[in-house]
Amino acid sequence: MKSNRFRKKRQIHLAELMSHICLPLLSNEFLKNGIVTEPLFRGNPKCHQFLIDVYTYQSILFHVYLIGDRATDNYLFPADNRCKVYDVSTKKLMSIQSMNVHRSGNSAVVLNRIIYSVGGYDCYPSKAVERYVPVIKEWNYIAPMKDARHGCGICAYNGLILCSWWNKQ
């Protein structure tokens, strides 16, 4: 796009072209140095909305939670209760409060800025559900599941936590 030739002809097609590119997955550096500084992009109001959407999307997705795991260094507890947070924007891994119970094969999801850990396995499949509230920095038990689950899929949808599984124990 650096060429001045045909700039006006390209301008009318740019918004349509950009709508087919998954901009939120591009690095901030590339967006800042390659997209935002591009004159064709800067001069197109439709493209401005793409940037607003990208930065909104990237500001929401900036943490990855690592909740529990198989313990490789502890034979008394075959599962782990340690938790970490990876901050995508700073590329730093930080420890947070450990869960109340050791487990592996648990599933985690974030709903309304609260982390939920569901099920898992530590010698036996678990019904336990815990939630981590970042403001108070602690895990609390909440109502358990009806049946024990481990290795289940989990997601947040419409204010609910949905759990699917292939193996009920």
Side-chain angles (χ1 to χ4, degrees):
M1 285 196 205
K2 297 292 180 193
S3 170
N4 286 331
R5 191 172 177 212
F6 304 115
R7 188 172 291 275
K8 295 273 187 205
K9 289 182 181 180
R10 291 179 184 169
Q11 181 83 28
I12 61 173
H13 301 290
L14 184 60
E16 182 183 350
L17 173 66
M18 297 309 283
S19 72
H20 297 288
I21 298 172
C22 193
L23 291 173
L25 299 181
L26 298 175
S27 71
N28 279 335
E29 184 177 329
F30 181 76
L31 287 168
K32 188 170 48 174
N33 298 331
I35 301 292
V36 175
T37 58
E38 171 55 46
L40 283 175
F41 204 83
R42 293 183 75 174
N44 190 324
K46 290 181 182 176
C47 291
H48 292 172
Q49 186 59 48
F50 291 132
L51 281 180
I52 291 168
D53 294 345
V54 165
Y55 286 115
T56 300
Y57 180 84
Q58 287 186 344
S59 70
I60 292 170
L61 295 178
F62 91 126
H63 290 117
V64 175
Y65 298 96
L66 309 166
I67 311 296
D69 194 4
R70 288 186 188 259
T72 56
D73 58 347
N74 188 335
Y75 296 103
L76 291 174
F77 296 104
D80 201 347
N81 66 339
R82 291 179 284 188
C83 303
K84 297 182 185 266
V85 178
Y86 179 71
D87 187 327
V88 175
S89 60
T90 63
K91 298 182 179 167
K92 291 186 180 179
L93 185 64
M94 302 165 281
S95 292
I96 61 172
Q97 178 71 35
S98 294
M99 290 182 294
N100 294 310
V101 94
H102 293 78
R103 52 184 145 161
S104 66
N106 58 308
S107 298
V109 68
V110 176
L111 177 64
N112 298 327
R113 299 181 188 222
I114 296 174
I115 306 166
Y116 293 85
S117 177
V118 174
Y121 191 87
D122 182 27
C123 299
Y124 301 99
S126 176
K127 297 179 182 182
V129 179
E130 293 182 67
R131 69 176 175 197
Y132 179 78
V133 182
V135 175
I136 60 174
K137 298 182 180 180
E138 70 181 32
W139 286 94
N140 297 303
Y141 287 108
I142 60 174
M145 295 183 290
K146 180 181 173 191
D147 296 307
R149 308 267 184 246
H150 65 91
C152 57
I154 190 171
C155 71
Y157 176 74
N158 262 355
L160 300 172
I161 295 175
L162 306 174
C163 181
S164 65
W165 62 91
W166 66 271
N167 187 11
K168 178 174 139 179
Q169 304 265 322

